[in-house]
Amino acid sequence: MNKNSNIYQILYSAIMVVLVGTVLAFVYMALKPKQDDNIANDKRKQILSAIHIPTMTDQQVKSTYQKYITAEMLVDEQGNVVDSTANVAFEVDMKNNVKASDRKLPVLVSKLDDGTTKYIIPVYGAGLWGPIWGYIAVGADGKTIYGANFSHESETPGLGARITDDPDFANAFSGKTLYKDGAFKCVEVMKKGQQPTNGADYIDALSGATITSRGVGNMMQQCMALYDGFFKKIQTQNANN
Amino acid sequence: MLSKKNKEALFNPLSKDNPVLVQILGICSTLAVTASMEPAIVMGISVIAVMALSNVIISLIRKSIPTTIRIIVQLVVVAALVIIVQQFLIAFDYDVSKQLSVFIGLIITNCILMGRLEAFALNNRPWPSFLDGIGNGLGYTIILVIVAAVRELFGSGSLMGFQVIPQWCYDHGYENNGLMILPPMALITVACIIWVHRARNPELMEN
């Protein structure tokens, strides 16, 4: 048979593509459960890191997560709990959640070793090249940030990727407040030397990563603002006690 | 099993015919994944696996490949193997797969693979092709690890993530060289290795 005839070439490519496609589909199906496990574990690590629980081995992640995350719920914009079944906030796909018109806002409640309660809020936004997301732990007063953890899909290594790699960046959020004199003023990410005009708390942006830093600022602003009702409710409860 | 010719296929790429130093193939990934040793080693292992397998597969079907579409056939084989490696990494070493994210995909475009498929696997039997793949993969990995060791040691003061430079050095004013972490230093390090290598192998020097 002539190897360079058109029919041979077309048949050859067709068979090759079908074969390769079958093999890839099989590998994907076989490895999927293990991959999903890894991705879920990684998510748990990110959440735990927001409440300053240091990273641990994969075996410990699940039990540590169950130990510290005591409740999960979805709230509406007025701060009313609409769903509090187990794992409900963990399962939320933030990518679709931020787009929904009538958002159910996920909240993870954690109880630390010292007995204090922290509310962990997932945030999701856009960086320079792709999505960025994070987990913000807010103290029991409903105002002060206790800790934060940021991740990204494809920010530049050494520049934008430092929102994940450089612990100083996320740690700078600790102790910053979301409220000034009772009004919602989200902590901002400002270029070094600048300050927000509305008197809000701020942290320094990463040098060389202007757009990623701005993305983190916008993400915080947009996502945390929706929780205004929830935080206000906590604040009134605290005032009444 | 290991005739003289096969030995050459396996061992020449380690030094005299090194893909990075002599053939100057695969420079792009050498710059990208050598900021620390762990990703460099994983990248090296992935390249060895992909290269040996793709060499064998191409060599097995070399007589049936129509010459006009041989590059496409090579690409499909390499791409499929790379996706399989990537899926395995996500399943079994998630942290490293996150670190290597883009670079694993870039194995497909790694010039060493296409270069060896074209130059060797298309004209040789599977066993020598397999050895050639292993040899070139090892040659690549060795350089990758050397460069990564230099960069991690001077850039972060550690090797394989363990702190090597003791704290008292920092207390006395020693600082990590931030430039070492950036890609240009990989190029300079590779250049220095090529310099030493050529100096020791005068027959490789060009006039």
Side-chain angles (χ1 to χ4, degrees):
Chain A
M1 192 166 181
N2 180 6
K3 271 205 303 183
N4 284 318
S5 72
N6 284 347
I7 294 177
Y8 182 84
Q9 285 178 28
I10 291 168
L11 273 180
Y12 194 92
S13 348
I15 292 171
M16 175 180 71
V17 168
V18 170
L19 266 180
V20 168
T22 319
V23 170
L24 287 185
F26 179 76
V27 169
Y28 181 76
M29 296 295 288
L31 295 177
K32 188 89 173 50
K34 197 133 177 43
Q35 295 180 347
D36 287 347
D37 255 19
N38 281 339
I39 292 167
N41 257 344
D42 195 51
K43 194 169 169 183
R44 290 193 185 95
K45 274 190 206 163
Q46 291 167 15
I47 293 171
L48 288 174
S49 151
I51 46 172
H52 303 304
I53 310 287
T55 43
M56 62 222 77
T57 62
D58 287 349
Q59 289 80 25
Q60 295 166 324
V61 173
K62 221 166 182 170
S63 55
T64 320
Y65 180 83
Q66 275 156 359
K67 181 178 159 205
Y68 286 105
I69 307 296
T70 48
E72 298 189 13
M73 53 192 177
L74 296 182
V75 299
D76 60 15
E77 292 192 21
Q78 284 72 46
N80 303 313
V81 178
V82 290
D83 193 347
S84 58
T85 41
N87 268 334
V88 69
F90 184 77
E91 302 285 348
V92 166
D93 183 0
M94 286 303 286
K95 190 177 173 183
N96 299 327
N97 188 271
V98 288
K99 282 190 210 136
S101 50
D102 180 29
R103 279 194 60 185
K104 300 278 175 284
L105 308 163
V107 178
L108 301 117
V109 185
S110 73
K111 209 157 216 114
L112 299 190
D113 289 333
D114 58 5
T116 54
T117 307
K118 312 286 174 205
Y119 302 97
I120 303 171
I121 314 290
V123 292
Y124 188 94
L128 174 57
W129 304 114
I132 52 177
W133 62 92
Y135 297 92
I136 314 295
V138 179
D141 62 356
K143 290 179 193 167
T144 321
I145 294 178
Y146 174 70
N149 179 270
F150 296 103
S151 306
H152 63 93
E153 192 176 282
S154 44
E155 298 308 297
T156 322
L159 297 173
R162 277 182 296 161
I163 60 169
T164 310
D165 301 337
D166 187 349
D168 292 345
F169 180 73
N171 287 341
F173 281 91
S174 307
K176 301 288 187 243
T177 177
L178 299 169
Y179 285 86
K180 280 275 155 94
D181 306 325
F184 178 78
K185 280 179 184 163
C186 184
V187 52
E188 297 203 27
V189 183
M190 299 301 283
K191 195 167 258 181
K192 216 169 187 158
Q194 291 178 349
Q195 290 181 9
T197 44
N198 64 0
D201 268 359
Y202 64 97
I203 69 147
D204 286 337
L206 291 166
S207 55
T210 313
I211 299 189
T212 311
S213 300
R214 199 182 297 149
V216 172
N218 290 343
M219 170 171 80
M220 293 286 290
Q221 192 79 36
Q222 282 160 11
C223 292
M224 298 310 271
L226 295 169
Y227 288 87
D228 190 29
F230 176 72
F231 289 138
K232 283 267 166 61
K233 218 165 199 174
I234 296 173
Q235 288 163 23
T236 7
Q237 268 171 20
N238 286 343
N240 290 344
N241 286 340
Chain B
M1 288 297 269
L2 279 176
S3 64
K4 187 162 174 292
K5 193 164 163 278
N6 287 350
K7 264 190 193 146
E8 276 174 11
L10 181 60
F11 293 115
N12 268 7
L14 297 187
S15 168
K16 290 273 161 63
D17 197 20
N18 189 285
V20 182
L21 299 183
V22 183
Q23 306 175 50
I24 316 290
L25 294 171
I27 293 288
C28 3
S29 48
T30 312
L31 305 191
V33 292
T34 51
S36 55
M37 277 179 77
E38 203 194 339
I41 291 172
V42 176
M43 179 78 173
I45 294 170
S46 312
V47 169
I48 294 175
V50 171
M51 189 129 85
L53 282 172
S54 61
N55 261 3
V56 169
I57 292 174
I58 290 293
S59 170
L60 280 172
I61 58 173
R62 71 186 186 282
K63 293 211 172 95
S64 71
I65 301 174
T67 42
T68 36
I69 58 165
R70 66 179 195 286
I71 302 279
I72 300 172
V73 176
Q74 290 166 13
L75 265 181
V76 170
V77 170
V78 173
L81 287 171
V82 166
I83 293 171
I84 292 173
V85 167
Q86 187 162 29
Q87 296 294 330
F88 267 93
L89 275 182
I90 296 176
F92 295 104
D93 201 342
Y94 189 73
D95 288 333
V96 171
S97 87
K98 260 195 351 185
Q99 247 180 322
L100 288 175
S101 57
V102 200
F103 303 122
I104 287 286
L106 284 179
I107 295 179
I108 301 173
T109 57
N110 195 325
C111 338
I112 300 180
L113 285 158
M114 297 299 286
R116 292 325 292 173
L117 291 179
E118 274 285 296
F120 201 91
L122 271 180
N123 311 312
N124 285 283
R125 298 168 59 80
W127 176 241
S129 299
F130 176 76
L131 293 176
D132 180 77
I134 299 273
N136 276 282
L138 275 175
Y140 169 80
T141 308
I142 289 171
I143 303 303
L144 220 58
V145 169
I146 294 174
V147 176
V150 172
R151 289 180 70 192
E152 193 179 348
L153 182 61
F154 293 108
S156 320
S158 56
L159 284 174
M160 291 297 289
F162 294 106
Q163 196 64 32
V164 173
I165 295 177
Q167 188 56 40
W168 60 265
C169 288
Y170 293 100
D171 296 340
H172 288 78
Y174 175 83
E175 285 219 27
N176 286 329
N177 186 347
L179 191 62
M180 286 308 268
I181 310 217
L182 298 174
M185 279 318 284
L187 203 55
I188 293 171
T189 315
V190 171
C192 292
I193 297 174
I194 293 181
W195 178 21
V196 173
H197 187 250
R198 294 279 155 105
R200 295 190 51 171
N201 299 285
E203 70 274 18
L204 291 174
M205 281 189 234
E206 292 135 28
N207 294 317

